[in-house]
Amino acid sequence: RIVLVDNPVEGHAGDGVAERVAAELPDVQVVRSPTNAGFAGGCNLGLGEVAPTQFRALLNNDATVTPSWLGPLVEALDAAPTNGAACPKILFATPFVELALSATTHRRGRGDRRELGVRLSGARVGDVDCWTRAQLLSGFWGTEPMPDDEPSGQWTAADARLRLPCPVTGPTPLAELRLAADEPTTITVASGDESVVLEVGVSPDWQAVPFSGAPMEIVNNAGTVVFPDGHAGDRGFLEPDDGRYDEPTDVDAWCGAGVLLARRYVDELGGLDERLFLYYEDVEASLRGRNHGWRYRFVPTSVIRHVHSATSVEGSRLARYFNERNRLLVIARHEPAARLVAATGRALLVTASYARRDVLSPMLHGRRPNADVVVSRLRAVGGFVRRAPRMRRSRRRD
C-alpha cells in the first residue's frame, strides 16, 4: 500500500499534487493534515494509516526509487530480529561534473583576515538554474550576508572546487557561473581537460565556463553517522559512488529520506518525536531505539535517488534554525548534562564568531552590517532553551 501525506503550508495554495494523485491514482491513499505537522508529524500520520504490515517504508517527496530497491531491505530486516531499520544507498538525483576555480586573492583586514577570491552567486547548466543544487566541495567561506543582488552567494578562497548537476542524456550543455569581486580579479576555471581564464568585475556577471569533466554518481547518504559532539551527518556525503560504499554494514542511524522500518521497531518507538518538527527526528528515533538494543543496517544493493533539500533548501533560514535547535534538543534527550552544557557553549561561541564576521567587521569597513545569521542562530538557541526542560524529562522515560 502507498500512503501520500499532504502537509499544508499556511499562506500557500499548494501545488495540486495531492489532488492529482487522488484523481489519477486511486490505489494511493491520500492523507491530508489539517495543519503543517512537519516531517515528523507527517510521517506519523502516514505510519498510523498503514495496515498492520510487517514492514513500513518512508520515502521523501523529492526521492525516487529503483525497481529493485525494496527486496534487499526486506532481506536485511529478516536477517536478524534486532534489525529495526534497513537503509538503502541514497544517491543524488543526477550525475555531477566537477569544476576547479583558482583566483587571485585579497584581504579586507579590520576583523576579516580571510583570503578572498571571488563571489559566486549563481550557476546554470543549459537553461536550467542549478545554483541551489550546486555542491560546494572545498575552498568556500560558507553562508554569509551578501550584496542585495547576490543573495545566497559565497566567497571563494584562492582555490575552490564545486560540482554542478549534469543531464543524464543529450549533448554536453553550456555551463555558466555568476561571478563578482571587490575589485577586478583574474580567475581560472577548469573542468576535465579544458580551462579558461576569466576577468571578473565588481558587478555580478554570467560567464561561460568549461563543463567537460566526466559525470560522476555522488553519494547523498550511506547510513547516518552520529559524532561524539552530537552532530549527525550523512555517511559518504558528496563522495563519488565508486565502490567505497558497496559493503553492507551496521550504521549509527537511519535517514528519513528513504528507509524500511520493522513494524516491531515502529511499535516500540511510538513514532517520531513531533516536537522536533523538521530535521534530526530520524536521528533521535535512531538513538532512542539503540538504547533498547535495536540496530540499523546499510544495504548498498538497494538504491534510491534524492534531490536533497528540495523543500526546505539547505542553508536557508528555516534549515539553519531547525538544524541547530534540534541538534541541541537531541543532545538534551540523549546525552549527559556536561555534554549538553559544552554543546550549548560551543553554539554560542560559533554565533559570536559570526557576529564578528557579519556585524563587527562590516562596521569597521564602513559597510552595512547584516545580523541575519547571528539572529537566526540566537533564535535557534532560544528555541532550544525553551524546550530543553521537557526534552530532559523525556530522557528519564527512554
Side-chain angles (χ1 to χ4, degrees), residues 137-358:
L137 303 175
S138 63
F140 289 88
W141 287 106
T143 303
E144 61 183 288
M146 283 283 166
D148 292 341
D149 58 348
E150 299 174 59
S152 72
Q154 288 198 28
W155 277 103
T156 72
D159 296 293
R161 294 166 51 239
L162 75 152
R163 297 191 192 114
L164 300 180
C166 177
V168 178
T169 60
T172 302
L174 174 70
E176 298 174 285
L177 299 179
R178 190 170 187 259
L179 300 164
D182 279 351
E183 55 193 41
T185 301
T186 301
I187 182 173
T188 301
V189 182
S191 178
D193 296 330
E194 298 181 24
S195 65
V196 64
V197 177
L198 303 174
E199 297 296 327
V200 178
V202 296
S203 298
D205 188 30
W206 288 99
Q207 303 217 35
V209 295
F211 196 62
S212 58
M216 296 180 286
E217 296 284 7
I218 305 299
V219 175
N220 183 174
N221 178 282
T224 297
V225 180
V226 181
F227 300 99
D229 66 353
H231 275 94
D234 297 300
R235 179 171 171 264
F237 187 63
L238 297 185
E239 296 183 37
D241 181 34
D242 56 6
R244 67 187 77 180
Y245 293 104
D246 281 355
E247 293 298 321
T249 186
D250 283 357
V251 291
D252 294 337
W254 49 268
C255 173
V259 66
L260 185 68
L261 306 174
R263 179 190 172 190
R264 307 180 312 279
Y265 170 69
V266 174
D267 289 347
E268 182 173 320
L269 219 61
L272 303 180
D273 191 333
E274 297 186 19
R275 294 172 296 184
L276 297 176
F277 191 78
L278 180 68
Y279 293 123
Y280 272 85
E281 61 288 290
D282 46 5
V283 174
E284 192 284 320
S286 299
L287 295 176
R288 194 159 21 113
R290 239 171 51 181
N291 293 340
H292 293 273
W294 290 102
R295 298 163 56 209
Y296 315 114
R297 193 74 176 163
F298 168 63
V299 185
T301 50
S302 172
V303 177
I304 72 172
R305 293 185 173 276
H306 187 214
V307 174
H308 185 69
S309 293
T311 302
S312 59
V313 183
E314 188 171 14
S316 66
R317 292 181 185 179
L318 181 77
R320 284 201 307 264
Y321 173 80
F322 282 110
N323 259 314
E324 185 63 16
R325 189 199 75 172
N326 290 354
R327 180 182 69 86
L328 294 172
L329 287 174
V330 171
I331 293 174
R333 183 165 186 173
H334 293 282
E335 298 292 343
R339 183 164 289 179
L340 175 61
V341 171
T344 306
R346 282 195 298 272
L348 292 173
L349 286 174
V350 171
T351 303
S353 72
Y354 281 116
R356 183 183 69 177
R357 186 196 69 182
D358 299 345

Side-chain angles (χ1 to χ4, degrees), residues 9-206:
V9 179
E10 186 177 353
H12 293 263
D15 55 13
V17 169
E19 290 76 11
R20 183 175 177 186
V21 168
E24 299 180 13
L25 302 172
D27 289 339
V28 176
Q29 179 183 354
V30 178
V31 177
R32 302 179 192 274
S33 174
T35 60
N36 190 341
F39 180 82
C43 286
N44 286 345
L45 276 173
L47 291 170
E49 292 292 332
V50 175
T53 52
Q54 188 177 352
F55 308 108
R56 299 174 183 186
L58 300 177
L59 190 70
N60 262 21
N61 61 327
D62 58 354
T64 55
V65 301
T66 55
S68 58
W69 76 293
L70 204 50
L73 301 180
V74 170
E75 292 174 6
L77 292 186
D78 274 341
T82 55
N83 286 348
C87 312
K89 180 192 288 184
I90 304 177
L91 301 178
F92 282 92
T94 64
F96 282 75
V97 170
E98 189 164 315
L99 290 79
L101 283 65
S102 179
T104 55
T105 62
H106 68 286
R107 285 188 179 184
R108 285 175 164 175
R110 292 187 179 180
D112 190 346
R113 302 176 182 176
R114 298 175 297 167
E115 293 286 345
L116 300 176
V118 296
R119 295 190 303 273
L120 176 59
S121 60
R124 294 192 298 225
V125 175
D127 57 356
V128 177
D129 184 339
C130 60
W131 177 233
T132 59
R133 295 176 59 198
Q135 297 175 353
L136 308 186
L137 303 175
S138 63
F140 289 88
W141 287 106
T143 303
E144 61 183 288
M146 283 283 166
D148 292 341
D149 58 348
E150 299 174 59
S152 72
Q154 288 198 28
W155 277 103
T156 72
D159 296 293
R161 294 166 51 239
L162 75 152
R163 297 191 192 114
L164 300 180
C166 177
V168 178
T169 60
T172 302
L174 174 70
E176 298 174 285
L177 299 179
R178 190 170 187 259
L179 300 164
D182 279 351
E183 55 193 41
T185 301
T186 301
I187 182 173
T188 301
V189 182
S191 178
D193 296 330
E194 298 181 24
S195 65
V196 64
V197 177
L198 303 174
E199 297 296 327
V200 178
V202 296
S203 298
D205 188 30
W206 288 99

Side-chain angles (χ1 to χ4, degrees), residues 376-393:
S376 68
R377 288 186 61 87
L378 289 175
R379 284 186 61 241
V381 173
F384 154 70
V385 169
R386 290 192 300 273
R387 293 165 176 82
R390 291 183 62 191
M391 196 62 80
R392 289 296 286 181
R393 287 194 294 270

